[in-house]
Amino acid sequence: MDFANLASQLNAGTILPEGIVIITLLGVLIVDLILGRTSSRWIGYLAIAGLFASIVALCFQWDSTNHIFFGGAFNSDDLSIVFRGIVALSCAVTILMSIRYIEQSGAALAEFIAILLTATLGGMFLSGASELVMIFISLETLSISSYLLTGYTKRDPRSNEAALKYLLIGASSTAVFLYGVSLLYGLSGGQTELSAIGDGIAKAGAGQSLGLLIALVFVIAGIGFKISAAPFHQWTPDVYEGAPTPVIAFLSVGSKAAGFALAIRLLTVAFPLVVDEWKFVFTALAVLSMILGNVVALTQTSMKRMLAYSSIAQAGFVMLGLIAGTEAGYASMVFYLLVYLFMNLCGFTCVILFSLRTGTDQIVEYSGLYQKDSLLTLGLSISLLSLGGIPPLAGFFGKIYLFWAGWQAGLYGLVLLGLVTSVVSIYYYIRVVRMMVVKEPQEMSDAVKNYPEVRWDLPGLRPLQVGLIVTLIATTISGILSNPLFTLANNSIAHTTILQPTTVISNQVNNTTTELAEKL
Amino acid sequence: MLSTLIWVPIIGAAVIGFSPGSNSYPIRTRWIALITAGLVLLWNIFILLKFDISNPGMQLQEYLPWNENLGLSYKLGVDGLSILMLLLNSFLTWIAIYSSSEQVQRPRIFYSLILLVSGGVAGAFLTENLLLFFLFYELELIPFYLLISIWGGEKRAYAAIKFLIYTAVSGALILAAFFGMVWLTGSTSFNYDALPTQTISTTLQIILLFGIVVGFGIKIPLVPFHTWLPDAYVEASSPIAILLGGVLAKLGTYGLLRFGMGMFPQAWSILAPTLATWGAISAIYGAVTAIAQKDIKRMVAYSSIGHMGYILLASAASTRLALVGAVSQMFSHGIILAILFHLIGVVENKVGTRELDKLNGLMSPVRGLPLTSALLVIGGMASAGIPGMIGFVAEFIVFQGSFSVFPIPTLLCIASSGLTAVYFVILLNRTCFGKLDNKLAYYPKVEWSEKVPALILTIVIFFLGIQPTWLVRWSEPTTTAMLADIPTPSQVSVLSKRVGES
């Protein structure tokens, strides 16, 4: 094999975005080693610049024909590009919000950013991974970095507990996932590439075998953990409460997006024979997530726990698109995750800002905030109302698209459940808005009474303000001006061969199933 | 041209909301809001003059493609069904802003929310796209929640959350029905002029129509979905109550006519007897419950339930006359409710109570509130359906039009109209007549500026009562055209048999 042929097979250009992230990561670490703490003034911007360079590099790959990297281990199709973009963008905003937060907690910023970039790297690779080992490695890269980030503020016992709990649950779910993956390898007669697995299983005639179902359920357990779908959600409230807030901002958006990317790729490519089964399992997960997430969120008193349950519920809504399994369904998932990025990060930015100034997360402590800090009130109100699906904000359009795609696919019951639980969700989102906006000056909480003067010139607060305003504007107008995002979401699905109804794989599958049927 | 009605208030809301210092200069903020609302009102009158009465279809249409993937387009148009509602909206917005206190707390958010609501309601009346309608419908949710829960009475938090949840459920039902309509017809866009809803099987039509009736029935409200209304109306401050009852309730009846009767004429005619009975029950219930109330605002709130029942009866009857009556009743109810809530606000402001047991002798010329009580008497009479005023015209057309189709529900409604007179007599007797309590009666003077809205509304009430052509001429061609799709009674029996078989 000559070198040119090898290079074309390797096709290393497809991982240029990840390459940029790695270089940024190393840059951050080395700069910190040489300069120490003094570098923390600008090291965050270096990381953000790197992430944006990576997003630009992603843009150049849009709609390229040559997107298989490393002989099939990594697929840089438009679906993966969209998800890699979401992960990178969520990391960039997370860095904006973490500069002040981490500094204030007394920990080192550069290590934090380095671990965060590693997690981003894992998430980006996971979005495009199309080979079992590659999936496992990128999943674990993401997971281990997440554990480290969760316990990063190690003087705080809650952070320690959250990290331990997250690690225990995460490690066991990884083990279950790995077991499912090893079953897949065996069932398909020794294939590790996803498309080959689909074919292999069909050839081996294991289409409806018990082994395949077990593998499916085990794999779903691993995915369900990442997207925090009930009943694999139990880590979410505790981790959200204990971990540093910027970390959970990333976990709720970046990590979840990577999980959904994995779900789409793995389920559609490796399990085309048991479509009805995995749709059934995900229907159960979606029903549970929507009900549990929305109902339990009603009773939360801590903002971070409330957002944790709300994120479980939002995962339930997104699963609607996955269950629909149509082009519109996948596109609505992508669109919802995009707007979810804006509104959730905007919400978390406000939570961070509030806790930086008052040191508390309790919902009652937000009482009367409109008088002291109107920008924070506006930002948190808009993002929570958008999460609740109030027009004309981004979340409204996202939910409408999800529900409409679900309805078109015939999921009437799920859509009705989604509508009802959205009504429930409006209640707990509006409760926070009520605290901030409605409460009279004499009902003001102690934290707000002693609210410090609003200043943006302290180190690290300016990026927080920038992040807040950018995500706030995006949440407000990306619904009304949603056409570009819609086009992006739809094209990312339409250009992705694996999601087309008439792909080679499904043809083969159809052929083999008809052959099987004839034999029987 | 029509976009102005939506966007001028919303831009006004943004200007007030984001301009610095609008909280420290409440008077200036109020003037900005008043001028914005006044401009919209003038523009609305201009549109009314441009409106071609003989044309039953959509006029002054505007179209912009918006989101093709969702089938959402910015499509506006006005016809005989919506023109009066638009006028009512901009008129009552102006009245509400005018009648709000000059010392209102937090004026910035107050006026910007009112203008936002006004723009949203105008949008809902104007749109020709189901999703866009839903968007504007849901847009009312949060502003009204805040308007009730910030500037309300004692139990405002409870009332506001109740309003919020009921309205959100109503929105969910409506959205589900809209999805069903578009999906079952296989249409790609939500524009309703292009929806062949007739092609859906009759059974499914009935199910969808039922979703729409219940969804809008919560908003109207119909018994038994009305329980949010007494709380919300009573706890809201009087300008907000004017908007809630005068404008927002009309969104429900308008939706019922436009999307219920307009889209499912066949199913509508099958369900019509049920709806007529339902309307009659609502009317009787509202009147009887109003008699039992001890709080004048609560009384008027229940009277509103009763009056909305007539509209359901008339729409169910769907004769040429009844539909004209329904639209007139929508308009007249808005005007009458506005004057009543405004005057009750004045009384509460000056006297400090709304209890029937405590109020007395307000008619007393020197120390009472003579002009206010005189206007209250007029408002009560108009509401009870005394000839010469707008309420009589509308109710009479409703009864005349419905009697031939549903005689018994119509008689029940006429009886409830009599009961309306009963509780308004109780109300007026206890508040306006009798003797003033000499120890307590040192009421502040009612300023002229506070009387202006009620005087204007009184003029409208009398003018349209004596010259009703100006009330009915706008809607007649459109409602007549809508009737063309309603099957005749013989066709209905065939249809219902088919439903029974399937």
Side-chain angles (χ1 to χ4, degrees):
Chain A
M1 198 183 286
D2 61 317
F3 185 75
N5 195 6
L6 188 70
S8 75
Q9 244 193 346
L10 199 59
N11 196 6
T14 54
I15 58 159
L16 181 65
E18 284 79 1
I20 295 174
V21 174
I22 295 179
I23 291 167
T24 317
L25 192 163
L26 292 175
V28 167
L29 276 182
I30 291 167
V31 165
D32 184 58
L33 267 179
I34 296 171
L35 296 178
R37 271 292 168 92
T38 48
S39 66
S40 66
R41 280 290 155 80
W42 49 274
I43 206 157
Y45 305 108
L46 176 71
I48 290 168
L51 284 166
F52 274 106
S54 163
I55 292 171
V56 170
L58 278 175
C59 292
F60 279 110
Q61 291 189 6
W62 181 258
D63 213 5
S64 68
T65 43
N66 186 15
H67 48 62
I68 308 290
F69 166 71
F70 213 81
F74 187 81
N75 194 342
S76 169
D77 50 11
D78 287 355
L79 180 76
S80 88
I81 289 179
V82 160
F83 277 103
R84 284 146 85 193
I86 293 177
V87 175
L89 205 55
S90 74
C91 177
V93 183
T94 307
I95 291 176
L96 280 180
M97 42 171 120
S98 56
I99 294 176
R100 176 78 193 166
Y101 190 95
I102 298 299
E103 289 278 289
Q104 195 156 320
S105 70
L109 184 65
E111 285 166 39
F112 180 83
I113 291 180
I115 305 174
L116 189 63
L117 286 173
T118 317
T120 309
L121 205 59
M124 287 171 81
F125 272 123
L126 189 58
S127 305
S130 53
E131 202 254 4
L132 292 181
V133 180
M134 180 76 185
I135 288 176
F136 183 74
I137 290 176
S138 41
L139 185 69
E140 274 306 87
T141 310
L142 176 59
S143 298
I144 293 173
S145 327
S146 306
Y147 309 145
L148 290 173
L149 289 171
T150 304
Y152 196 72
T153 45
K154 56 180 183 282
R155 288 195 191 85
D156 180 0
R158 284 191 308 175
S159 178
N160 283 317
E161 190 193 324
L164 183 62
K165 202 161 185 176
Y166 194 23
L167 169 68
L168 287 176
I169 300 180
S172 37
S173 90
T174 308
V176 172
F177 181 78
L178 187 60
Y179 193 60
V181 163
S182 68
L183 273 178
L184 271 185
Y185 175 71
L187 284 170
S188 61
Q191 300 292 344
T192 56
E193 223 176 296
L194 292 186
S195 52
I197 287 175
D199 294 346
I201 291 174
K203 278 198 194 97
Q208 292 289 330
S209 70
L210 185 62
L212 187 61
L213 289 182
I214 292 176
L216 173 71
V217 171
F218 282 6
V219 165
I220 288 180
I223 295 171
F225 166 76
K226 268 275 158 278
I227 60 176
S228 60
F232 309 107
H233 69 282
Q234 280 106 338
W235 60 274
T236 323
D238 295 320
V239 169
Y240 276 43
E241 194 179 19
T245 319
V247 172
I248 57 176
F250 177 76
L251 286 185
S252 73
V253 178
S255 173
K256 199 169 268 189
F260 273 113
L262 172 66
I264 295 179
R265 197 172 294 277
L266 193 57
L267 294 174
T268 53
V269 180
F271 292 99
L273 290 171
V274 282
V275 164
D276 295 332
E277 282 79 2
W278 67 254
K279 281 192 177 169
F280 175 76
V281 175
F282 267 96
T283 308
L285 295 190
V287 168
L288 276 175
S289 304
M290 283 194 270
I291 293 178
L292 186 132
N294 281 311
V295 172
V296 180
L298 290 174
T299 61
Q300 300 305 314
T301 54
S302 146
M303 195 67 197
K304 283 161 83 176
R305 276 189 94 86
M306 194 274 272
L307 285 171
Y309 280 104
S310 121
S311 90
I312 295 170
Q314 302 283 346
F317 292 135
V318 178
M319 274 185 262
L320 256 176
L322 185 65
I323 300 164
T326 54
E327 253 186 65
Y330 295 124
S332 70
M333 278 175 81
V334 172
F335 180 76
Y336 198 79
L337 284 169
L338 274 168
V339 295
Y340 182 68
L341 175 116
F342 299 130
M343 53 200 188
N344 224 30
L345 290 181
C346 180
F348 273 117
T349 308
C350 294
V351 172
I352 287 174
L353 202 50
F354 185 76
S355 73
L356 281 179
R357 286 180 179 156
T358 61
T360 171
D361 278 325
Q362 295 301 309
I363 293 177
V364 283
E365 295 290 339
Y366 282 78
S367 293
L369 188 63
Y370 79 94
Q371 288 205 312
K372 295 291 176 87
D373 195 338
S374 48
L375 176 66
L376 181 52
T377 310
L378 182 73
L380 193 52
S381 304
I382 294 282
S383 62
L384 289 179
L385 293 178
S386 177
L387 282 168
I390 301 294
L393 306 172
F396 172 79
F397 289 85
K399 265 190 192 164
I400 290 278
Y401 194 22
L402 272 176
F403 290 160
W404 182 224
W407 194 279
Q408 283 176 313
L411 309 170
Y412 308 118
L414 274 180
V415 172
L416 287 178
L417 181 70
L419 285 169
V420 171
T421 47
S422 301
V423 173
V424 176
S425 78
I426 290 176
Y427 180 83
Y428 60 78
Y429 290 126
I430 201 87
R431 203 160 59 109
V432 182
V433 177
R434 180 171 154 253
M435 286 295 168
M436 294 186 296
V437 181
V438 176
K439 291 284 182 182
E440 304 290 329
Q442 61 270 19
E443 294 171 304
M444 209 182 258
S445 69
D446 291 337
V448 176
K449 268 182 200 145
N450 306 322
Y451 202 75
E453 192 194 348
V454 175
R455 287 178 63 186
W456 296 104
D457 49 1
L458 296 170
L461 274 183
R462 194 62 75 182
L464 203 57
Q465 187 191 21
V466 170
L468 171 62
I469 289 175
V470 168
T471 49
L472 176 63
I473 291 174
T475 309
T476 315
I477 64 165
S478 70
I480 299 167
L481 305 176
S482 53
N483 258 338
L485 284 185
F486 261 99
T487 317
L488 177 75
N490 285 340
N491 282 348
S492 74
I493 301 302
H495 295 172
T496 305
T497 41
I498 56 164
L499 299 177
Q500 299 310 307
T502 52
T503 50
V504 187
I505 303 162
S506 61
N507 278 347
Q508 284 174 347
V509 170
N510 285 339
N511 292 341
T512 42
T513 38
T514 41
E515 277 168 28
L516 279 173
E518 279 161 13
K519 269 182 207 165
L520 292 168
Chain B
M1 200 163 181
L2 298 176
S3 293
T4 322
L5 296 178
I6 303 175
W7 293 106
V8 167
I10 291 181
I11 291 168
V15 167
I16 291 174
F18 291 105
S19 68
S22 43
N23 258 341
S24 12
Y25 302 103
I27 311 263
R28 191 190 73 184
T29 311
R30 185 164 178 270
W31 272 106
I32 297 176
L34 209 54
I35 290 170
T36 315
L39 285 177
V40 177
L41 179 60
L42 288 179
W43 188 251
N44 220 325
I45 292 172
F46 175 67
I47 285 177
L48 193 73
L49 296 177
K50 290 268 287 188
F51 186 77
D52 174 14
I53 299 174
S54 56
N55 179 359
M58 285 289 173
Q59 301 182 31
L60 306 170
Q61 282 180 313
E62 285 177 26
Y63 175 77
L64 272 177
W66 188 359
N67 196 325
E68 300 296 330
N69 296 299
L70 279 179
L72 173 65
S73 60
Y74 181 77
K75 192 166 187 212
L76 307 181
V78 61
D79 69 355
L81 210 54
S82 48
I83 182 92
L84 278 185
M85 297 302 109
L86 283 172
L87 186 68
L88 186 70
N89 173 38
S90 51
F91 181 45
L92 292 191
T93 305
W94 190 84
I95 295 271
I97 292 175
Y98 189 93
S99 70
S100 65
S101 146
E102 281 180 4
Q103 270 75 47
V104 68
Q105 294 289 310
R106 293 154 78 181
R108 169 157 73 171
I109 179 166
F110 183 76
Y111 292 114
S112 65
L113 285 179
I114 289 188
L115 287 176
L116 183 65
V117 162
S118 168
V121 172
F125 284 134
L126 281 172
T127 165
E128 281 188 64
N129 182 289
L130 296 177
L131 265 191
L132 193 62
F133 175 85
F134 178 72
L135 192 152
F136 281 123
Y137 187 80
E138 289 280 283
L139 194 62
E140 319 303 329
L141 200 62
I142 300 304
F144 263 109
Y145 170 80
L146 293 175
L147 285 171
I148 298 172
S149 63
I150 300 179
W151 301 271
E154 294 258 299
K155 278 171 62 192
R156 56 179 185 270
Y158 169 76
I161 204 78
K162 207 166 170 184
F163 166 81
L164 181 81
I165 291 174
Y166 271 81
T167 313
V169 169
S170 136
L173 279 169
I174 292 168
L175 184 65
F178 284 176
F179 276 177
M181 272 152 75
V182 175
W183 173 236
L184 290 172
T185 52
S187 174
T188 49
S189 93
F190 279 81
N191 290 343
Y192 62 64
D193 51 357
L195 275 186
T197 35
Q198 314 279 6
T199 54
I200 306 174
S201 81
T202 319
T203 323
L204 281 175
Q205 279 194 41
I206 290 178
I207 295 173
L208 290 177
L209 178 61
F210 191 73
I212 285 191
V213 169
V214 174
F216 286 113
I218 294 173
K219 195 80 172 182
I220 291 176
L222 299 171
V223 176
F225 309 120
H226 66 285
T227 56
W228 62 271
L229 180 140
D231 292 309
Y233 282 21
V234 171
E235 296 305 323
S237 62
S238 63
I240 306 311
I242 290 174
L243 286 179
L244 257 180
V247 181
L248 214 60
K250 304 305 168 295
L251 215 53
T253 46
Y254 170 82
L256 202 61
L257 279 176
R258 170 79 76 202
F259 307 112
M261 197 178 99
M263 308 289 283
F264 302 105
Q266 294 174 2
W268 183 265
S269 55
I270 294 173
L271 282 189
T274 324
L275 296 179
T277 322
W278 196 350
I281 292 172
S282 244
I284 293 274
Y285 176 90
V288 171
T289 333
I291 292 178
Q293 300 307 314
K294 295 282 174 223
D295 177 326
I296 50 177
K297 209 168 182 184
R298 206 164 262 275
M299 244 176 179
V300 175
Y302 277 107
S303 90
S304 160
I305 299 180
H307 284 104
M308 299 308 266
Y310 303 158
I311 299 173
L312 188 65
L313 170 76
S315 351
S318 36
T319 58
R320 208 174 64 85
L321 206 55
L323 286 187
V324 173
V327 178
S328 314
Q329 172 72 4
M330 276 151 78
F331 189 79
S332 92
H333 173 256
I335 298 286
I336 294 171
L337 203 68
I339 189 173
L340 289 173
F341 275 141
H342 173 74
L343 292 172
I344 288 171
V346 172
V347 168
E348 188 186 6
N349 206 359
K350 303 296 170 190
V351 182
T353 179
R354 292 192 315 252
E355 299 285 315
L356 270 185
D357 298 336
K358 292 183 187 151
L359 289 166
N360 226 341
L362 294 184
M363 210 58 155
S364 154
V366 187
R367 284 168 59 199
L369 313 169
L371 187 61
T372 309
S373 5
L375 292 170
L376 194 60
V377 172
I378 292 176
M381 280 162 64
S383 186
I386 304 293
M389 286 179 263
I390 190 172
F392 171 75
V393 175
E395 286 177 27
F396 187 74
I397 303 177
V398 166
F399 298 147
Q400 171 95 1
S402 320
F403 188 74
S404 56
V405 191
F406 299 117
I408 295 172
T410 310
L411 285 175
L412 283 173
C413 280
I414 294 176
S416 94
S417 178
L419 290 174
T420 310
V422 171
Y423 60 75
F424 271 112
V425 167
I426 297 177
L427 190 154
L428 299 174
N429 197 17
R430 296 272 196 93
T431 50
C432 303
F433 303 115
K435 264 188 168 173
L436 275 179
D437 186 339
N438 273 330
K439 281 177 208 147
L440 299 174
Y442 292 97
Y443 306 136
K445 253 190 112 51
V446 182
E447 304 291 330
W448 268 104
S449 60
E450 291 173 282
K451 294 172 190 162
V452 169
L455 285 173
I456 297 175
L457 287 166
T458 315
I459 293 170
V460 173
I461 286 175
F462 274 114
F463 176 73
L464 290 179
I466 294 164
Q467 187 54 270
T469 334
W470 285 80
L471 180 63
V472 296
R473 61 194 289 204
W474 312 104
S475 56
E476 208 183 338
T478 307
T479 47
T480 314
M482 281 173 81
L483 281 181
D485 294 331
I486 302 270
T488 58
S490 55
Q491 289 169 318
V492 173
S493 58
V494 175
L495 275 173
S496 3
K497 253 184 224 148
R498 216 183 293 154
V499 175
E501 282 158 14
S502 65

